[in-house]
Amino acid sequence: MADLSIPEGGFWPAPEIPQPNIYPMEWRVETDKLAAIYEKSKRTVWNPADLPWDGLDPDDFTAEQRLGIMYWFSVLANFDASGPAVFARATIQAFEKHEEDPVRKCFFSITRDEMNHEECCQRTIARLWPGGPLDWVPATDLERAAHNNIGWLYHNGGRYWTGYSSAVGKYSLPVLFTSFMMGEMAASTLFRGMATGTEHPVFSEMFHRIGRDESRHLQICMTILENEWPGLTDDTRSLITRQLRAGFVFLSMILWEPPGGFWELPPYFLHNHRVLMDHARDAGLGVLSYEDQAENWRVAMARIRAIVERWGIEFPAIPELDIEGVEVDFLDPEDIIPVF
Ligand SMILES: [Fe+2]
Ligand SMILES: [Fe+2]
């Protein structure tokens, strides 16, 4: 064995790495519960390609029903299909900020799951409406309405992404995660409702599996927040109140109906949205009625309220659902964080 080379006066200390940076590497574990959830996420992984797709036959539906289903999945994709990119960015951020290892790994697992949820949108649309969401030429008024609405929807998705990209670095973990928690609460609520409502075996299995993933995401968010909430300042608390209102405004597009405040939509959007959603409903997709959606959303909101109020965070007013609270007026895209 050759002798070591030891300089006179000892080894030279390596330069300090300017932060934020993913280096130096380390694998700190502070929250065993998060590490356990990550292990569970690896064991319960599933493959959307293995759903019984042969059972989803376009000929079982009318053209309007197929369009309605495609429309619903295109709306869902505005949320679920942004998941991989949103959480990939959050994962990178967690590395750069040297969050403990299980936090980074859990973010990664959410990214992985969301990729599966995106694939469900992709595969369903490819089977029932090739070229969808937008790469097809509409031939009827109903088709033109669907195509145009989806275009407007993604215009808003684009505004969300621009806002998220510029804001994600500015928000601390509790702010970011209260919003994510709201998204996961919304997602688990939505898929639980759809799983009960659908009459189709492919959608039933899909919604059950996605719903299970979303419940795990919610558990991840809650575990992170239990660590983060005790250190909240009043400024952060009022920022979170704002984010909760933003979450409601954004997520209502898929859980219920879009309120004003963020969405830039043409005046005919909502009417045609209702017509298209009715076709999806008629197809047996499991889209709940307007009243049942509102009730589910109200219950989810009450759950979130009970959680955040324990930590002294005030809940925003949601007059659309007769929920009283703090008035939050203007919202711009940078206020909107949640994903599914
Ligand atoms: Fe999720
Ligand atoms: Fe999801």
Side-chain angles (χ1 to χ4, degrees):
M1 201 85 69
D3 282 343
L4 282 171
S5 165
I6 299 175
E8 227 169 288
F11 292 111
W12 309 352
E16 187 102 0
I17 298 167
Q19 298 295 323
N21 196 298
I22 64 163
Y23 293 92
M25 288 305 169
E26 29 89 21
W27 293 273
R28 245 169 46 248
V29 178
E30 288 156 4
T31 315
D32 291 331
K33 193 174 163 192
L34 277 180
I37 298 174
Y38 178 64
E39 288 308 313
K40 193 176 166 199
S41 79
K42 284 188 286 183
R43 284 192 300 265
T44 50
V45 88
W46 57 285
N47 182 358
D50 292 342
L51 289 178
W53 292 105
D54 288 345
L56 185 64
D57 186 350
D59 294 337
D60 289 346
F61 304 96
T62 66
E64 289 80 9
Q65 289 173 336
R66 284 191 289 114
L67 185 68
I69 296 175
M70 184 278 279
Y71 182 76
W72 186 85
F73 275 94
S74 300
V75 177
L76 176 66
N78 193 58
F79 303 90
D80 243 335
S82 71
V86 166
F87 276 100
R89 188 152 285 182
T91 304
I92 292 171
Q93 176 131 342
F95 273 89
E96 287 183 339
K97 290 195 169 172
H98 295 267
E99 300 295 347
E100 59 166 317
D101 183 60
V103 166
R104 305 184 305 212
K105 284 190 161 58
C106 280
F107 281 22
F108 168 74
S109 84
I110 297 178
T111 311
R112 185 73 199 78
D113 293 336
E114 293 307 329
M115 198 69 101
N116 280 347
H117 305 172
E118 175 185 1
E119 191 177 328
C120 289
C121 299
Q122 175 188 15
R123 285 181 181 273
T124 306
I125 290 175
R127 240 185 132 70
L128 297 185
W129 205 270
L134 285 173
D135 192 16
W136 54 286
V137 181
T140 65
D141 280 345
L142 186 68
E143 292 178 6
R144 273 185 285 275
H147 196 277
N148 183 265
N149 263 22
I150 295 169
W152 277 98
L153 191 69
Y154 291 167
H155 157 66
N156 286 279
R159 293 171 61 229
Y160 158 72
W161 176 252
T162 310
Y164 174 77
S165 303
S166 70
V168 65
K170 291 186 230 156
Y171 291 129
S172 59
L173 219 52
V175 176
L176 207 56
F177 263 75
T178 308
S179 297
F180 286 158
M181 178 269 280
M182 190 180 193
E184 306 301 358
M185 185 74 86
S188 46
T189 302
L190 173 76
F191 289 109
R192 210 177 313 120
M194 302 279 297
T196 337
T198 188
E199 295 151 23
H200 198 284
V202 172
F203 295 134
S204 172
E205 190 172 337
M206 181 192 298
F207 295 152
H208 274 107
R209 285 184 184 276
I210 297 180
R212 222 167 294 150
D213 289 345
E214 304 300 0
S215 301
R216 192 170 53 251
H217 301 171
L218 182 58
Q219 209 188 352
I220 292 171
C221 291
M222 289 308 301
T223 309
I224 290 175
L225 287 170
E226 276 158 23
N227 287 340
E228 297 291 330
W229 269 333
L232 284 186
T233 62
D234 283 347
D235 276 359
T236 310
R237 283 194 180 87
S238 60
L239 185 56
I240 291 177
T241 301
R242 227 184 133 68
Q243 302 289 356
L244 291 170
R245 171 73 199 168
F248 167 77
V249 169
F250 190 55
L251 297 166
S252 286
M253 176 62 86
I254 182 71
L255 268 98
W256 189 37
E257 279 191 354
F262 162 75
W263 295 97
E264 286 176 1
L265 300 168
Y268 51 80
F269 179 95
L270 189 56
H271 180 82
N272 295 343
H273 179 81
R274 286 176 181 158
V275 172
L276 288 156
M277 285 297 173
D278 274 341
H279 285 299
R281 230 172 241 125
D282 183 52
L285 183 58
V287 181
L288 301 181
S289 69
Y290 179 86
E291 291 75 21
D292 288 346
Q293 285 177 329
E295 188 47 33
N296 269 359
W297 208 189
R298 201 176 285 117
V299 169
M301 221 57 92
R303 268 196 210 122
I304 299 166
R305 178 179 209 135
I307 294 166
V308 300
E309 282 185 345
R310 249 181 274 150
W311 297 95
I313 299 161
E314 291 185 292
F315 205 74
I318 315 277
E320 296 86 345
L321 291 173
D322 298 319
I323 297 172
E324 286 174 17
V326 178
E327 290 298 328
V328 175
D329 43 13
F330 174 75
L331 295 169
D332 65 20
E334 288 202 8
D335 291 320
I336 313 271
I337 301 178
V339 272
F340 266 29

